[in-house]
Amino acid sequence: MSDELYPRDMLRTASDIRFAGTLPEAGGTATLDNPFCGDRVSFDVTLEAGRIKSLRHRVKACVICQASAALLAAEAEGRTADDILNLGDDLMAGLKADARPLLPGHPAFDLFSGITRHRARFACVLLPFEALEAATRDAEKATS
Amino acid sequence: MSGFSAARLRAEYPILNIETAPGVALHYLDNGATGQMPRAVLDAIVAHETTARANVKRSVHTLAERATNAYDAARDTVAAYLNVPALEVVFTAGCTAAINLVARSHGDLLAPGDAIAISELEHHANLVPWQMLAARRGLDLVRLPMTAEGRLDLAALPRLIDQRVKLVAVTHASNVTGAITPVAEVAAIARDAGALLLVDGAQMAPHGPVDLPALGCDFYVLSGHKLGAPNGVGARWGRYPLLDAMAPLMGGGEMIRTVKFEASTYARPPQRFEAGTPPIMPAVGLGAACRFLSAIDHDGAMAHQMALTGRLIEGLMRIAGNRLRLIGPESLDDRLPLVSFVIEGTHPHDLCQILDRRGVALRGGHHCAQVLHEVFGVAGSARASLAPFNDEGDIEACLAGIGDAMKVLLS
């Protein structure tokens, strides 16, 4: 049964494991917790000319966070840490404003449209953005 | 509300209908100590406590979501009141807590030999935390003087705020003299010296929205109860990079990122500085107070209050004559509607006690500004501090009460 908050596509996206796992050759890595519930997201990344070349994630989190990590991973290649930061900020603004699309240029994130009335869950959507940004900055630091 | 009407505004404050004794109406002229609460704030508090009382950011049930939304919306409203991003607004227990937070967390970034410049006009909340910091970190305190009429002496600042000074702390408006500080000019002087500027907005913020980007300061603090919100909440604004460089003052829930047994990492601002369950209902009340105050015609309200202030000063001069000493400017320019005074031969507390018989609420004492009173050469003063809802009846009652007091105390 589909649900406003948990549409069938979200469950499908959350089970997308194409980018799950570790990168043995990772140039940067970061693990962040959702401070409110303890959910945990880790990202490993490699960079090429300051941009994400490859990545893998490990997500011990709710369905919403899993889906967000999967969507972000699929759209992250070629982006910088600042790009990821800006994407997260834009998505936060979209969630607060109940905008359509939630994230301009990235219609896939409308998957989270049902969350806009549930402010406590915004952190679930945004945790992967913060973790990926941190991992990318870690990789930047290693190459600088 | 468009077009200012004190009578219409008075109707919004239930407490103004009370009698302090049978047949004695309240004339509240102690707004500088605590602002009264309009019905809109009372309603917002009751609505929150009866439909949304829960902890924030934790549970996902309906009440918790309502509480989280209300708390976040309150931050958005306070941010809009100050014309700054919400991420830069930290809820605190009040102004004192907000200044102590900066003194502790930013103060830890200062090095022995650095200096902090503070004016003689300051409330103890904007002096004592810096004294404590100076003692803790081996810093010097630089005293910024005021003029004879109780305004910050701008001409003295370029000489005193030198390269050693890393932070300047001044009030936006004195709680004793009522003088409004030209903050943008102080900010320019501080910036030239490479110093940051903290502004205490406790007295100014209740008089309407504050355009912080136009002021050019780096930190700004305000006190909720002075805006007509509940006690126990205030706000500290700081530029985000400054907040991000600061360590938290208190540790606990809500302010963490990851906790392990040996050590923890911290959340980003503003959560980094909001350990534990925050003052949820008071913050909701503060948001409602900001909305209420934003809707007032402030030009009209200030013109009304300045007319009353002028009437009060003229009346004091008429009644007390040579015994009167104003602790602050006589002019109505660049000041708040606040008048502190001494009547020779009377003690401020005795004066205020007799005023209370007529339902007139004034404050007497040093108003937590002992240094300022020392410079003026008096131990304390009586203070009438106005709000937009005050009217001619309040001023006439005050002047009549002062006449009473002089008869009793000077006969």
Side-chain angles (χ1 to χ4, degrees), chain B residues 111-165:
Chain B
D114 288 345
I116 312 162
I118 303 134
S119 91
E120 293 173 339
L121 289 147
E122 301 311 310
H123 187 285
H124 295 164
N126 203 21
L127 172 59
V128 179
W130 305 115
Q131 293 172 335
M132 294 164 67
L133 169 64
R136 186 164 55 86
R137 300 285 297 168
L139 311 180
D140 293 328
L141 290 182
V142 175
R143 182 172 182 149
L144 304 178
M146 61 181 178
T147 64
E149 65 169 6
R151 297 184 184 279
L152 183 62
D153 185 354
L154 277 184
L157 301 194
R159 177 176 51 85
L160 293 168
I161 301 175
D162 59 22
Q163 302 296 318
R164 288 185 320 126
V165 174

Side-chain angles (χ1 to χ4, degrees), chain B residues 12 14 37-53 66-67 70-71 73-74 77 228-230 280-292:
Chain B
E12 301 294 327
M37 196 176 281
R39 194 181 309 279
V41 176
L42 290 163
D43 289 348
I45 292 168
V46 171
H48 179 82
E49 293 295 287
T50 53
T51 66
R53 180 175 168 83
R66 286 180 184 169
Y71 184 66
T77 305
I280 303 165
M281 177 275 283
V284 169
L286 178 55
C290 288
R291 277 196 302 280
F292 180 83

Side-chain angles (χ1 to χ4, degrees), chain A residues 34-106:
Chain A
N34 181 335
F36 305 118
C37 63
D39 279 359
R40 177 166 292 181
V41 174
S42 303
F43 268 99
D44 296 341
V45 300
T46 63
L47 299 185
E48 188 171 78
R51 294 179 180 278
I52 295 170
K53 182 183 175 192
S54 58
L55 80 169
R56 288 291 182 273
H57 61 63
R58 295 171 297 289
V59 181
K60 292 180 180 171
C62 63
V63 171
I64 294 168
C65 189
Q66 289 178 51
S68 178
L71 285 179
L72 177 62
E75 302 209 15
E77 192 179 328
R79 298 188 187 279
T80 64
D82 284 344
D83 291 340
I84 302 299
L85 172 68
N86 292 334
L87 277 177
D89 287 349
D90 290 347
L91 182 55
M92 178 62 156
L95 288 165
K96 285 177 78 170
D98 194 20
R100 296 292 179 283
L102 282 174
L103 185 59
H106 303 272

Side-chain angles (χ1 to χ4, degrees), chain A residues 33 35-36 118-119 127 130, chain B residues 57 65 69 72 256-258:
Chain A
D33 291 356
F36 305 118
H118 304 275
R119 208 150 174 160
L127 180 61
E130 296 176 51
Chain B
K57 317 260 184 191
E65 286 198 340
N69 288 345
D72 286 350
I256 50 87
R257 181 83 244 188
T258 299

